[in-house]
Amino acid sequence: FLAPLDHSKLPNFTKNAGAQYTKEAYDPGNVYSVPWASGMTGIAYDESKTKRPITKLSDLWDPAFKGKIGMFGDAQELANFGLLKAGINPDRSAPDEWGKAADELKKQKPLVRKYYNQDYIDALSNGEVWLTMAWSGDVFQKNLSDGTNFKFVIPEEGGTIWTDNMTIPITAKAPLDAITLMDFF
């Protein structure tokens, strides 16, 4: 479904991409994809409401914050936090361990206000939640654009690093335009 990339048309990528982004398991050598944006999944919080620093995943399970906790609706992101809370590395997890993650998330569910998509940052802004799963870039951007002072932390137990990628479908009507845009970014 994806067109192989002509790397002669990606001079900016070749010059500027970090080596780690050319060795991804899903596309070694970037035959079909190039990274576009990376970030981390962690916890964002409003310390004026929590009245203390948030540092651990267990803070998202703290009954003191019942009804003020936001979690992601994205199954993979949510599962990763469940695995980390159970002491399991998501990257090395096995099917028999996923039940432990589900058990952790079931225990937490009565405390959670909502399972959010992109709207979690608005919920944090309007006080609907005081702490929430979050993507690093959203918190940075919100603080920059609105002058808020939300904190972002990778929990002591860990978080996730992610990379969004760009590809060109084999059905693309303007693949040269697409690869030019990819190289620009």
Side-chain angles (χ1 to χ4, degrees):
F1 298 107
L2 300 177
L5 301 176
D6 178 352
H7 281 260
S8 71
K9 298 199 178 344
L10 293 167
N12 286 327
F13 173 76
T14 302
K15 179 181 174 187
N16 298 306
Q20 71 270 24
Y21 294 105
T22 64
K23 299 174 187 164
E24 298 292 353
Y26 54 82
D27 187 15
N30 305 95
V31 176
Y32 299 99
S33 66
V34 294
W36 174 62
S38 288
M40 297 167 281
T41 304
I43 302 171
Y45 65 100
D46 183 343
E47 195 168 15
S48 72
K49 303 245 185 346
T50 64
K51 305 295 185 203
R52 65 178 167 92
I54 300 300
T55 60
K56 299 179 181 180
L57 284 172
S58 60
D59 292 319
L60 290 168
W61 272 253
D62 187 336
F65 300 121
K66 182 178 182 176
K68 296 297 183 179
I69 298 167
M71 297 294 285
F72 282 168
D74 178 275
Q76 183 175 355
E77 291 280 19
L78 183 63
N80 285 338
F81 268 36
L83 287 163
L84 289 166
K85 176 70 168 69
I88 301 163
N89 180 334
D91 203 35
R92 294 183 189 84
S93 65
D96 63 323
E97 296 173 307
W98 300 341
K100 293 175 186 172
D103 290 341
E104 290 291 339
L105 293 166
K106 286 176 189 172
K107 288 181 215 170
Q108 182 205 36
K109 188 174 182 177
L111 305 175
V112 175
R113 179 173 185 97
K114 185 177 172 184
Y115 296 88
Y116 294 91
N117 294 311
Q118 282 297 134
D119 55 338
Y120 76 91
I121 199 73
D122 295 328
L124 185 63
S125 293
N126 68 27
E128 185 176 306
V129 296
W130 298 351
L131 64 163
T132 182
M133 288 181 77
W135 290 306
S136 55
D138 288 345
V139 178
F140 173 80
Q141 186 60 46
K142 190 67 164 174
N143 285 340
L144 187 65
S145 65
D146 292 2
T148 54
N149 191 30
F150 299 137
K151 308 288 187 206
F152 178 83
V153 63
I154 300 298
E156 290 176 14
E157 301 87 346
T160 56
I161 297 173
W162 49 265
T163 302
D164 291 336
N165 293 280
M166 293 184 284
T167 61
I168 302 174
I170 58 172
T171 57
K173 302 263 190 260
L176 182 58
D177 291 346
I179 200 165
T180 302
L181 180 66
M182 291 165 76
D183 191 54
F184 172 79
F185 280 116

